[in-house]
Structure formats: structure tokens, C-alpha cells
Amino acid sequence: MKYKQRNMSMGLRPLTLLIRNLLLQRGTIRRMTSEIDKEELKKRLTPLQWHVTQEKGTERPFSGCYNKFYERGTYTCIICDQELFSSDTKYDSGCGWPAFNEVLDQGRVKLTKDTSNYMVRTEVTCSKCGSHLGHVFNDGPKPTRKRFCINSASISFHSAGEEKKTPS
């Protein structure tokens, strides 16, 4: 029985891929956010949001709208709206950027070594779309000792209890 099921699913896979590719060619369906239309994105973002998320820039300290912002809710990626941080883990680090001591889930961010600007840091990017969010340091409060130093320009805020809108 298992042998027949495996052979049937292997026979349907090429057909499924063929139909999907035909629909993509016709424009009936669009690819997921891993292939973002850069021109469309550039029109949607402010110049600062583009610089931070797409060119790995950094906003000036103490200038971001979420630096001294403490409402209850969830912070999401400005590009793909993936949920990243909870207001429960946000704290005032005094560094000039929003700081969090934990991510909602480790799989939602990607951490990579960053040796730019004559420093060694750990860059934080969105795992879903690859947008630059900021950096993480090991000088945060207990118990995690983490300080996710995130640019306001790279995130959106959704108030607690707010119904999340689905893209149309």
C-alpha cells in the first residue's frame, strides 16, 4: 500500500509543477514574498525604509517612531508582515533604537556575522523576506542577555487585540 501511494504522489508531482508554472506564466498567481518586486516595493516604502531594509542602512539614533513607544502589541516586518517581536520583550536600553530581549520565535529571524564599519556585530534579518532589521548584542537584561537593536523603519506595530488585516 505504501509503495502505491508513493508512486501515485511521484506521478502527480510533475503535473502539479506544470500547472503551477503555467499559472505563474499567465500571471494568475504570484510568487511568495521571497521574490519581491523591487520596483513595487520601492514605491511602497519611504526612502528611509528602503535604505534600512534593502541597503542595510541604519536610522539615526533617537529618531525612530518606536524608540520610546510602549503600547502593548506585536511588531512585524515592514516588508512581509511576519510577526517578529512582542511588546512584552521591549525595553528601554538607552541606545536610541527600539530594543527587545527576545524574538517571538528564533525561526523568524536570521542572524549573520557583520564585519562592516570596522566592527564585528551580528546582523538581524527577517527569515521570510531577508530584509535588514538591525543587530543583536549580548549586553541586554537577564535572563537572555540579548539586545535586539531594531530600526523603527524596518518594523510595523499592531496593537494588542487589533485584528490583523490579510493582504488582498
Side-chain angles (χ1 to χ4, degrees):
M1 184 72 170
K2 286 183 182 178
Y3 179 74
K4 283 184 180 180
Q5 285 178 343
R6 191 173 71 214
N7 281 343
M8 280 179 40
S9 65
M10 288 179 71
L12 291 176
R13 182 162 168 73
L15 180 60
T16 304
L17 290 173
L18 175 67
I19 291 169
R20 181 181 177 277
N21 287 338
L22 287 171
L23 290 172
L24 280 171
Q25 287 171 0
R26 285 185 173 167
T28 308
I29 60 175
R30 295 184 69 179
R31 294 184 186 271
M32 292 303 289
T33 56
S34 60
E35 292 184 21
I36 296 169
D37 181 343
K38 294 290 186 177
E39 288 306 312
E40 185 179 309
L41 188 60
K42 201 163 194 174
K43 290 176 191 171
R44 180 169 62 99
L45 300 177
T46 67
L48 179 61
Q49 289 170 330
W50 175 266
H51 176 64
V52 168
T53 62
Q54 305 304 300
E55 300 172 333
K56 299 184 181 206
T58 302
E59 64 196 10
R60 288 179 301 121
F62 306 101
S63 67
C65 61
Y66 299 124
N67 180 41
K68 297 285 186 182
F69 182 83
Y70 296 102
E71 286 187 29
R72 292 186 48 78
T74 304
Y75 294 86
T76 62
C77 174
I78 193 90
I79 305 300
C80 68
D81 209 34
Q82 175 173 230
E83 293 182 344
L84 301 169
F85 302 98
S86 167
S87 61
D88 294 339
T89 63
K90 189 173 188 294
Y91 68 100
D92 186 1
S93 69
C95 68
W97 291 274
F100 304 87
N101 65 3
E102 192 58 83
V103 183
L104 281 173
D105 181 88
Q106 290 300 320
R108 295 175 188 239
V109 295
K110 181 180 174 190
L111 305 178
T112 52
K113 187 176 182 179
D114 176 5
T115 57
S116 64
N117 299 321
Y118 308 102
M119 295 182 264
V120 177
R121 304 177 287 180
T122 302
E123 179 187 15
V124 180
T125 56
C126 176
S127 65
K128 189 173 178 182
C129 68
S131 293
H132 174 76
L133 302 170
H135 293 87
V136 63
F137 303 93
N138 293 317
D139 59 5
K142 291 179 180 178
T144 65
R145 295 279 190 207
K146 299 288 183 200
R147 176 172 55 100
F148 286 87
C149 187
I150 305 299
N151 291 280
S152 290
S154 68
I155 53 177
S156 293
F157 177 76
H158 302 274
S159 295
E162 175 185 302
E163 190 174 312
K164 197 170 174 190
K165 298 174 185 95
T166 54
S168 47

